[in-house]
Amino acid sequence: MATALLCIPVKKTFEVDLSKPLRDFIAIAYGNTNPDDYNYALSELNKLRSNFIAKSGEKQESALDVCYRYYDQLSAIECKFPITENQVRINFKWQDAFSKDLRTVQKKVLTLASGAYEKACVLFNIAATQSHAVDPQSLGTDEGLKMAAKLFQQSSGIFLHLASTISPVTSGDTTYDLQPDTLNALSSLMLAQAQDCFVRKAISDKMKSGMTAKLSEQCSHLFAEALKLMQLEAVKSVWPKDWLIAVASRQDVFRGLAQFYQSVVAKEAKNFGEEVARLKIASDLLAKAAKQCGSNFVYHSYQKTVIEAFQKAEKDNNFVYHAKVPEASTLAVIEKAAIAKPTPVSNPMSQNFKDLFERIVPLAVQMALSTFEERKSEIVSREIGRLRESTQILNSVLVSLNLPAAIEDLAGDRIPLSLQEKAAKVRRMGGIEHLTYLTNDLPALLQRNKEILDECERMLNEEESSDRQLRAQFRQHWARSASELLNQPIRSECAKYRQIITSALQADSLVRQRYFQHRDAIALLSQPDTDIERCLPSGNALSQLQSSPIVSTLRQLMGQVRQITEERDAIESQLKDAKCDMSSKFLSALVQDGAIYEQGLSLEQLDRIYGPLKEQVARSLKSQDVVVSQIQKSHGEFTRSKGQTPSSVGRDHKMKELASAYDSFIVLKGNIDEGKQFYNDLTNLLVRFQSKVTDFCFARKAEKDEVLKDLTASLASQPTLSPSHVHSNVSGPQLFSNVSVSGVARMPSHSAGTGASAVFFSPAMPRSYNPFSQFTVTSQPSTAHQWR
C-alpha cells in the first residue's frame, strides 16, 4: 500500500540561559535555600533544552524521549518558578512552524516572557516530532502500523489540548501555527492519518470486507473534516501548497476504498448489480484523486486493483448475471467504524521521570505556609499581648502601692532589697550609657532602610517614565506591555515596605519619648547603691510591723505575684516555641486535590496546638484578678497600720519613681533590641527586593532596546520615513500605516497567564516594629489600658 504521510514541521527556537534567572529567584523567593545546591539541576535543565532543540523533528523515535524529558521538567517547575514578565523573566523566542510557507510577512516570530508559552511551543514540537517519528518503511509490518497509529493519536491529542488552552497563554495574539483554528486542523489531520494506519492493518490482516469498508469510510470522513478546517479563511494561507490537494485526494481515495470493499460484500451476497455500481464509484473516485495529485499520486496499486475488479464485474454482469445496476444515489450509506481517537496528554511523558528541583516546594505551598505563619504569628502576638497587658496592669498596681519595697523598708534607713536587685540588673545591662547608645543607633538603621527603598522607587519611576514617554511617541506601535501594569505587584510590595517604615518611624519616636521621660531616674538606678541611698528621703521606723499579720499576708501575696509572672514566662516561651510542620500537609493536599484549602487545614492545626495554651492564658488572667483584689485590700489595711508623715510620703514617691524607671528601662531595652532585629531583618528583605527591582528594570531596558532596534530597522526600510519623523506631531496610524514590524518581541498583558504563573510571590514581611510589644509601664493603674 502507498506510504505517503504528511509530517508537521517543527517550530524553531533560540538558545536562552535558564540558569541565572532561576538561580536569582531561588535566592529571592526561597530565602532559606542555598542556590549553590541547585547548580547541577540548573545546568541539567539548560542541557535538556539544548538537546530538545537539537532533537526536535528528527525521524528517530529515540528523539521523542529527549523532548519528553524537557517537557516534564517544564511541567514540574511551573508551580515553583513563575516564569512571567514581572517575576522570573526569561524571554522565549519561537518561530512559526509554517514560516517558509506563509503568504504573509506578519507574525512569523513571537517572543514572550512566559513559561506557559515555552511549554506550549515544546508541546507543539513534540506533536510534530511524533509525526516525523513514523517510519514509512515500517508501515508494512504489524508492529510498525501499531506504533504509527499510537504516535498519530498522541499527536492529535496534543494539538487538541493546545487548541483549547493556547488563548490565555498568548492573549490571543500569536503566530499562525498556534492559532486554535490551525491546531484543530492539525489535530484532525493527525487523527485521519491514525485511522489510515488502522485501514492498512485491516487490509494487511485480511479483515472482513465489511469492517474494512467501515474503517475506510471513517478515514475518508476524517480527511474531509481535516480539509474543511484547513480551508477556513483564517488559516488557509498557512499550509504548504501541496497539503490541501493531498488531503482532498485522500478523502476520495479512502471513500473509493470503502466502496471497493463494500462491493465485495455485495458480491458475496450475490448482489451483482450493486457490486458493479460501487466499483464504478470507486474507480471514478480514484481517477479523480489521481488527476488532482498528478505525478504525486501514490495510490496507483489501489487504482489498478479497483479498475481490474470493475472491468471483470461489469463483464460478468453483462454476459452472465444481467443484474440491474442501481443508481449511485440509491445505494445504502456505508457505516463508519471510528477506531482512531485523540490520546489525552499524559504527565509525565517520559519514563522514570525525576524532578530536578524536587526539594523546592511549590509556590502554592510556600504561599500557604506564609499565610499559616501569619495566622500563627497573629495568635502568638495576641496571646502574648494579653499576658503582657495583664502584667503591665499588675506592675502598675504594684508601683502605685510601692510594693514590694514598702514591706521591705520598714526600718526606713536603707535601700529595699527589691530596689537593690533592680538597680543591680540595670547596671549589669549597661545602665543609662548603654541605653543612650542603643537609642541613638536606631535612626541610622532606619535611614539605611529608607535609602534602599528610595532607590528602588527611583528605579521603578525612571523605568516607568521612560516607557510612558516611548509609548506616547510610538503610540500603538510600541509593541510591549505598559510598565505601569507590569510593575503593579512590585509597587504593591514597595508600598508595604513603605508602610512598615512609616510605622517604624512612629515607633522610634515613641521610644525616644519614653527614653527622655525616664532618663534621669534610669541614670540614678545606674549609680552605686550608696548614691541611690543618699537620694532617698528618710522614712519612719516601723520595725514593730515586721512580724505583723498584715505584712505576712502581703509577703505571701508578693510570692503569688512572682509565681504568676514565672508561669507567664513559661507560657510565653511555649507560645513562641510551638512547632508544626505544615509543609507536608499542604503538599499532600496539593497532590491529592490539586489545590490547598489553607484556611481549613491551618485553623485545625492551630486550634490543636494553641487551644490548651489559650486556656492557660485565660486562667492566668483570672488568677491575677483575684490576687490584685487581695493586694489592694491588704495594702489599705497596711497603710492604716503604719500611718503617714511628710518624710515617709516623699520616700514612697521616690521609690515608686525608681521602680517605674526600672520597668521603663526593661521595656526600652526590649523595644530597642526588637527594633534593631527588625531593621536588620528588613535590610535583608530590602536588599533582596532591590535585586528584584534591578533585574526587572534591566530586563525592561534590554527589551526596550530590542524593540527600538526593530522599529528603527522597519523605519529605515521605508523610503519616505526616517527616525527623525517619529514625534508626537504625527499620529500613530498615519506615521506607521505602511510599516510592518515582523519579529518584534511582544509581551503579554498583566492579566495574561494561567495557573502558578498568575501568582505574584513576595517574601514574607517582617513583623511590624512595635515599641509596646513589651509590656508598657505607667505610674498609675487607672491609665494602664490607655497604652494598648
Side-chain angles (χ1 to χ4, degrees):
M1 186 175 182
T3 58
L5 296 169
L6 297 179
C7 298
I8 312 300
V10 297
K11 294 175 70 67
K12 180 183 177 182
T13 187
F14 304 87
E15 292 285 351
V16 296
D17 178 25
L18 301 174
S19 295
K20 185 181 184 304
L22 296 183
R23 179 186 173 85
D24 290 345
F25 185 78
I26 291 173
I28 292 173
Y30 300 96
N32 297 326
T33 301
N34 184 0
D36 291 339
D37 294 341
Y38 292 92
N39 285 342
Y40 172 78
L42 293 168
S43 175
E44 282 299 303
L45 187 61
N46 264 341
K47 289 179 183 177
L48 283 175
R49 190 175 195 274
S50 297
N51 292 338
F52 162 78
I53 294 173
K55 293 294 183 180
S56 291
E58 287 196 358
K59 297 183 179 299
Q60 293 80 11
E61 189 181 341
S62 59
L64 283 171
D65 188 58
V66 175
C67 299
Y68 293 159
R69 280 186 282 149
Y70 178 55
Y71 173 79
D72 286 342
Q73 291 299 331
L74 283 179
S75 298
I77 69 173
E78 67 180 343
C79 63
K80 303 176 182 181
F81 301 106
I83 303 177
T84 59
E85 190 175 2
N86 57 359
Q87 296 189 70
V88 184
R89 188 186 181 90
I90 304 174
N91 288 334
F92 296 107
K93 185 176 183 179
W94 287 85
Q95 192 174 51
D96 193 307
F98 298 97
S99 57
K100 293 182 180 179
D101 303 288
L102 286 174
R103 269 82 77 188
T104 176
V105 296
Q106 294 182 335
K107 296 185 180 177
K108 289 188 176 182
V109 175
L110 180 64
T111 302
L112 293 180
S114 166
Y117 175 60
E118 168 82 348
K119 186 179 173 183
C121 293
V122 168
L123 262 183
F124 184 101
N125 270 16
I126 287 175
T129 304
Q130 286 170 335
S131 72
H132 285 270
V134 175
D135 182 7
Q137 302 303 319
S138 70
L139 295 182
T141 67
D142 187 62
E143 288 301 318
L145 285 171
K146 287 181 179 179
M147 179 56 66
K150 174 185 174 182
L151 290 172
F152 281 132
Q153 288 178 101
Q154 289 177 340
S155 180
S156 174
I158 290 175
F159 285 127
L160 190 64
H161 169 77
L162 287 174
S164 64
T165 59
I166 193 64
S167 293
V169 173
T170 62
S171 299
D173 185 13
T174 184
T175 48
Y176 278 113
D177 56 351
L178 291 182
Q179 290 184 2
D181 287 343
T182 305
L183 295 166
N184 280 320
L186 291 175
S187 177
S188 293
L189 178 58
M190 293 297 100
L191 193 63
Q193 296 197 143
Q195 184 78 10
D196 179 346
C197 294
F198 287 116
V199 173
R200 295 170 192 254
K201 190 171 189 313
I203 295 172
S204 174
D205 292 348
K206 295 182 171 50
M207 194 176 289
K208 289 184 178 181
S209 298
M211 178 54 68
T212 306
K214 293 177 181 179
L215 291 171
S216 299
E217 185 68 15
Q218 173 66 11
C219 192
S220 174
H221 170 72
L222 290 175
F223 275 114
E225 286 294 312
L227 181 63
K228 182 167 65 176
L229 292 173
M230 293 171 71
Q231 288 179 325
L232 292 175
E233 186 66 29
V235 297
K236 66 181 182 181
S237 63
V238 171
W239 318 109
K241 294 180 180 179
D242 57 341
W243 274 31
L244 293 177
I245 295 174
V247 174
S249 67
R250 291 183 190 193
Q251 174 190 352
D252 292 334
V253 167
F254 283 97
R255 186 165 176 236
L257 286 178
Q259 294 292 340
F260 170 73
Y261 283 102
Q262 193 64 30
S263 75
V264 176
V265 174
K267 181 179 180 181
E268 291 172 349
K270 300 188 182 303
N271 295 325
F272 300 111
E274 180 183 344
E275 175 194 13
V276 173
R278 290 192 181 278
L279 285 171
K280 175 68 168 61
I281 295 172
S283 178
D284 291 346
L285 287 170
L286 286 165
K288 176 184 174 184
K291 183 178 179 181
Q292 281 181 318
C293 295
S295 60
N296 293 325
F297 187 67
V298 295
Y299 297 96
H300 295 291
S301 60
Y302 276 137
Q303 186 179 26
K304 180 180 178 182
T305 299
V306 169
I307 290 174
E308 290 175 353
F310 171 58
Q311 291 174 346
K312 182 178 184 304
E314 188 176 45
K315 179 179 178 182
D316 289 346
N317 190 54
N318 288 337
F319 289 97
V320 179
Y321 304 118
H322 305 290
K324 181 180 178 180
V325 179
E327 294 292 329
S329 59
T330 65
L331 295 174
V333 176
I334 302 173
E335 295 181 2
K336 304 180 187 69
I339 304 297
K341 296 180 180 179
T343 302
V345 177
S346 61
N347 194 13
M349 288 186 171
S350 59
Q351 298 292 326
N352 303 319
F353 165 69
K354 181 176 175 61
D355 183 2
L356 291 173
F357 301 90
E358 62 180 349
R359 289 181 295 166
I360 292 182
V361 298
L363 281 179
V365 176
Q366 281 280 99
M367 296 181 70
L369 286 173
S370 178
T371 305
F372 172 79
E373 287 299 323
E374 290 178 4
R375 295 183 190 275
K376 176 182 172 183
S377 296
E378 183 180 351
I379 292 174
V380 172
S381 297
R382 183 173 63 247
E383 295 306 312
I384 290 178
R386 292 176 66 198
L387 287 175
R388 291 179 175 177
E389 180 179 9
S390 185
T391 303
Q392 164 193 329
I393 295 173
L394 179 58
N395 284 345
S396 299
V397 170
L398 295 178
V399 168
S400 68
L401 301 179
N402 194 26
L403 291 173
I407 58 176
E408 296 171 346
D409 187 38
L410 295 175
D413 57 356
R414 61 180 180 270
I415 302 177
L417 178 61
S418 60
L419 190 56
Q420 291 182 31
E421 292 173 348
K422 291 175 180 178
K425 187 173 181 180
V426 168
R427 290 192 292 269
R428 285 197 304 271
M429 295 176 68
I432 189 64
E433 291 185 2
H434 185 59
L435 188 65
T436 302
Y437 169 78
L438 294 177
T439 303
N440 293 333
D441 195 36
L442 284 181
L445 297 176
L446 173 63
Q447 184 61 28
R448 178 179 62 184
N449 288 301
K450 284 180 78 285
E451 288 174 355
I452 296 174
L453 189 58
D454 289 344
E455 175 62 15
C456 291
E457 288 188 331
R458 186 199 63 78
M459 288 190 290
L460 288 172
N461 292 337
E462 186 177 282
E463 192 282 324
E464 185 175 322
S465 175
S466 173
D467 178 73
R468 190 180 297 110
Q469 179 183 356
L470 290 167
R471 188 170 303 282
Q473 182 175 336
F474 290 102
R475 299 180 184 272
Q476 74 270 23
H477 300 282
W478 189 242
R480 70 171 190 168
S481 300
S483 294
E484 61 190 19
L485 296 178
L486 289 179
N487 64 24
Q488 283 180 0
I490 300 179
R491 291 279 193 188
S492 176
E493 189 175 352
C494 190
K496 289 180 182 179
Y497 285 124
R498 182 63 69 187
Q499 180 59 43
I500 286 175
I501 287 180
T502 300
S503 299
L505 188 61
Q506 296 171 352
D508 280 3
S509 176
L510 291 172
V511 166
R512 296 184 68 80
Q513 178 182 345
R514 184 159 299 278
Y515 165 77
F516 286 114
Q517 180 182 352
H518 297 279
R519 179 177 57 181
D520 294 340
I522 294 173
L524 180 56
L525 281 177
S526 305
Q527 301 300 315
D529 288 349
T530 54
D531 292 345
I532 298 175
E533 187 172 344
R534 282 196 297 268
C535 292
L536 288 175
S538 61
N540 296 334
L542 301 172
S543 302
Q544 69 276 12
L545 295 178
Q546 195 69 249
S547 57
S548 66
I550 191 59
V551 171
S552 299
T553 299
L554 286 171
R555 286 173 180 160
Q556 182 183 359
L557 289 172
M558 291 303 100
Q560 293 181 32
V561 167
R562 284 193 296 272
Q563 183 179 351
I564 289 174
T565 55
E566 289 171 359
E567 288 175 352
R568 288 179 179 177
D569 288 342
I571 295 173
E572 184 170 329
S573 295
Q574 292 178 55
L575 285 166
K576 290 179 178 178
D577 298 339
K579 304 292 184 184
C580 180
D581 179 19
M582 293 298 295
S583 179
S584 57
K585 297 182 185 297
F586 287 145
L587 189 58
S588 297
L590 183 63
V591 172
Q592 182 176 344
D593 305 328
I596 300 174
Y597 178 49
E598 179 277 327
Q599 184 178 12
L601 291 172
S602 295
L603 293 180
E604 178 184 352
Q605 290 300 315
L606 290 171
D607 185 63
R608 181 182 64 82
I609 296 170
Y610 291 103
L613 292 173
K614 289 180 181 179
E615 293 177 1
Q616 291 185 46
V617 171
R619 286 196 298 269
S620 178
L621 302 187
K622 186 175 181 180
S623 65
Q624 176 178 311
D625 292 339
V626 175
V627 171
V628 167
S629 177
Q630 293 175 352
I631 289 174
Q632 290 173 329
K633 180 179 179 181
S634 298
H635 184 268
E637 185 177 344
F638 171 73
T639 303
R640 287 191 295 272
S641 299
K642 73 172 186 176
Q644 288 188 338
T645 64
S647 61
S648 65
V649 171
R651 185 178 180 86
D652 283 352
H653 178 76
K654 192 64 176 180
M655 288 194 292
K656 290 178 183 179
E657 181 183 345
L658 292 175
S660 180
Y662 165 79
D663 289 336
S664 294
F665 176 84
I666 297 299
V667 169
L668 286 169
K669 181 67 166 55
N671 290 159
I672 295 170
D673 288 343
E674 184 188 60
K676 287 186 64 177
Q677 183 62 49
F678 166 83
Y679 285 132
N680 288 331
D681 291 344
L682 183 59
T683 298
N684 291 334
L685 289 176
L686 286 175
V687 168
R688 288 157 59 186
F689 178 64
Q690 185 179 31
S691 176
K692 181 194 297 185
V693 172
T694 301
D695 289 346
F696 172 80
C697 293
F698 178 81
R700 290 285 287 176
K701 182 181 183 302
E703 180 194 354
K704 176 185 73 175
D705 294 342
E706 181 181 349
V707 175
L708 279 173
K709 179 181 177 182
D710 290 334
L711 283 174
T712 303
S714 299
L715 289 172
S717 65
Q718 304 299 314
T720 60
L721 293 174
S722 67
S724 61
H725 293 143
V726 186
H727 291 293
S728 56
N729 300 356
V730 186
S731 66
Q734 294 172 335
L735 180 63
F736 290 99
S737 59
N738 297 319
V739 177
S740 174
V741 181
S742 176
V744 173
R746 186 194 66 78
M747 297 301 162
S749 67
H750 181 58
S751 60
T754 57
S757 62
V759 178
F760 183 82
F761 179 81
S762 61
M765 298 291 177
R767 290 178 58 192
S768 295
Y769 172 31
N770 176 11
F772 302 118
S773 62
Q774 303 287 333
F775 59 84
T776 308
V777 178
T778 61
S779 59
Q780 296 297 328
S782 60
T783 61
H785 292 283
Q786 298 175 8
W787 295 106
R788 298 297 296 177

